[in-house]
Amino acid sequence: MENFKYTEENEKEFQRILEKYPNSDAMMLPGLWLVQEQIGWVSPAAMIFMADRLGKTPIEVHSFATFYTMFNLEPIGTYHIELCKTLSCMIMGAPELKKFIKDTLGIGPGETSADGKFHFSEVECQGACGGAPMIALNHTYHENLTVEKLENIIKGCK
Ligand code: FES
């Protein structure tokens, strides 16, 4: 297993946050978030790293990471498509978008495309109900989607 460590930039950010939240429990969330921003998922090596940094056991970090669905526990594609499946988006066309993703990229919820480029997740309300249906693509919201708009967004992913 390869060791994990923060990039220089993320190490600085970790230290900056640590000054605000010296409590190791409070640091778990932003600490793991930085990990995921860096490598796209929370690997076992990163859990051991975080446990060392915060004076926790690896199993404590693992329990924390598995509680929050926003943490990826396996490597995901370069582009993470998160489709909202809650009521407003569902009524306004999320099922058609889901079908389009399946038909064009060949992936359903929780799957990564064979080329490793796209990962698809269905998520609960993202607080953008006025723009339903919507996706987040690597955390950037795209609202008032149609199949055509989604097709253009996917084509734009290099
Ligand atoms: S229901 Fe989809 S963003 Fe709220």
Side-chain angles (χ1 to χ4, degrees):
M1 180 168 54
E2 241 178 71
N3 286 341
F4 173 90
K5 71 175 200 174
Y6 283 140
T7 59
E8 201 175 309
E9 187 183 333
N10 282 343
E11 180 59 39
K12 279 185 194 154
E13 180 64 7
F14 182 84
Q15 294 299 336
R16 191 188 70 77
I17 301 169
L18 194 59
E19 284 175 21
K20 289 185 177 179
Y21 304 104
N23 177 306
S24 63
D25 287 329
M27 275 306 296
M28 192 87 87
L29 195 60
L32 289 176
W33 190 248
L34 276 176
V35 166
Q36 185 158 290
E37 288 288 306
Q38 184 171 316
I39 60 172
W41 66 301
V42 178
S43 65
M47 290 185 199
I48 291 169
F49 167 84
M50 191 56 54
D52 284 347
R53 295 300 296 270
L54 298 179
K56 301 282 186 189
T57 62
I59 194 67
E60 285 176 306
V61 177
H62 181 267
S63 299
F64 189 93
T66 53
F67 179 78
Y68 291 98
T69 56
M70 65 191 184
F71 290 124
N72 305 315
L73 302 175
E74 292 177 3
I76 64 165
T78 308
Y79 295 99
H80 188 191
I81 301 169
E82 295 176 281
L83 172 66
C84 174
K85 64 173 183 178
T86 310
L87 189 60
S88 297
C89 288
M90 191 62 87
I91 291 170
M92 296 300 287
E96 288 75 23
L97 300 178
K98 180 179 175 181
K99 181 177 183 317
F100 178 75
I101 291 167
K102 182 70 178 174
D103 292 347
T104 56
L105 300 176
I107 49 176
E111 295 176 348
T112 302
S113 58
D115 61 4
K117 196 167 168 186
F118 292 96
H119 183 82
F120 175 40
S121 301
E122 280 188 305
V123 295
E124 300 297 340
C125 180
Q126 300 289 291
C129 319
M134 63 81 68
I135 63 162
L137 180 69
N138 290 358
H139 310 306
T140 299
Y141 282 15
H142 297 270
E143 301 177 23
N144 300 303
L145 286 179
T146 59
V147 165
E148 291 72 28
K149 285 182 186 174
L150 180 58
E151 184 174 21
N152 284 331
I153 290 166
I154 289 173
K155 277 183 185 164
C157 294
K158 304 284 183 210

